[in-house]
Amino acid sequence: MKQFLGALQLLNARERRQVYLLMPGIIIMAGLEVLGIAAISPFLSLVTNPESIETNSVLRWLYSTFNFQGTQSFVVFMGLVALGLMVISNLFSLLMNWILVRFAWLRNHSLSQRLLAQYLGKPYTFFLERNTSEMGKNILAEVQQVVNGLLVPGMLMLANMCVVLFILIFLIILNPLRAIIVALALGSGYVIVYSLLQRRMARYGDESVQANKQRFQLANEALGGVKEIILLGRENVFLENFSK
């Protein structure tokens, strides 16, 4: 979350407002997920035990309100309601995930463009002291890595956290003790895995940045000085270094 919030600081004011505007849609998606789950339980209860129409207050209210004359037609009705809610929930989730991923990947365009504009705004002496291949790497690879490794999963994580929270509240209402036990068990497992992998992933991230820098530099040098490389027969040296 800390790194995801840090990545959000790269966005301009308009883009951050767009993030806030996405939140109502995420909350609606979470609510629909819970409704879809909630509709399954009474339907299954009705299928396995038709007498639950009398014992379940919700089913009894629906049965009398819509004036059903038989159990079979009511079972079909409840099945259609459950199926309809699940279809609507999944379609809305699909739409929201597409919107979230599209928003995140459009930042690849805007951040790359902004970074290139920053470089082009520097004085000529700035470029004399730096390798231009590293700048190209930052624009083309590192921005994409930020989007692919932080913004896209971060936006999906926000959506999934809302869904999980809504489902957890729903389960606590149904069965508090069981819901808390399951939440603690799954949460503990996540914390253990995260703590084991965190440092290793951070090290791999640093190594990836350095490798990308050398990769772009070698490719740039090889193609920029291709005439001299061919004349001197140094192709294998560049290929070996690039391979590493």
Side-chain angles (χ1 to χ4, degrees), residues 25 28-29 32 87-97:
I28 292 169
M29 181 181 72
L32 286 173
V87 169
I88 291 169
S89 169
N90 279 284
L91 286 175
F92 193 81
S93 295
L94 180 66
L95 174 64
M96 278 307 301
N97 276 279

Side-chain angles (χ1 to χ4, degrees), residues 184-199:
L184 288 174
L186 293 175
S188 300
Y190 173 79
V191 169
I192 291 168
V193 171
Y194 177 77
S195 59
L196 290 173
L197 294 179
Q198 182 185 15
R199 290 184 180 178

Side-chain angles (χ1 to χ4, degrees), residues 114-232:
R114 217 175 299 157
L115 184 56
L116 179 59
Q118 286 286 322
Y119 282 143
L120 293 177
K122 299 290 184 184
Y124 182 68
T125 52
F126 174 84
F127 297 94
L128 296 176
E129 301 166 359
R130 288 167 178 82
N131 193 310
T132 54
S133 64
E134 184 177 356
M135 299 178 205
K137 180 262 303 182
N138 292 339
I139 295 167
L140 299 173
E142 298 305 333
V143 170
Q144 187 178 30
Q145 185 65 19
V146 168
V147 171
N148 192 39
L150 275 176
L151 285 180
V152 172
M155 297 300 291
L156 295 177
M157 179 181 66
L158 277 179
N160 289 326
M161 281 173 64
C162 284
V163 172
V164 168
L165 181 62
F166 274 52
I167 291 174
L168 185 59
I169 292 169
F170 172 67
L171 293 177
I172 288 172
I173 293 169
L174 286 181
N175 193 325
L177 181 61
R178 187 176 296 176
I180 291 169
I181 290 170
V182 170
L184 288 174
L186 293 175
S188 300
Y190 173 79
V191 169
I192 291 168
V193 171
Y194 177 77
S195 59
L196 290 173
L197 294 179
Q198 182 185 15
R199 290 184 180 178
R200 187 181 300 176
M201 293 302 292
R203 189 177 75 249
Y204 288 163
D206 290 337
E207 290 174 1
S208 175
V209 171
Q210 292 303 315
N212 252 343
K213 176 183 174 181
Q214 294 169 4
R215 193 166 60 101
F216 271 76
Q217 185 174 334
L218 281 165
N220 197 45
E221 289 173 355
L223 296 174
V226 66
K227 186 192 298 181
E228 292 82 1
I229 290 170
I230 292 172
L231 287 172
L232 296 171

Side-chain angles (χ1 to χ4, degrees), residues 106-119:
L106 280 174
R107 304 294 67 81
N108 186 50
H109 166 265
S110 60
L111 290 173
S112 297
Q113 189 176 40
R114 217 175 299 157
L115 184 56
L116 179 59
Q118 286 286 322
Y119 282 143

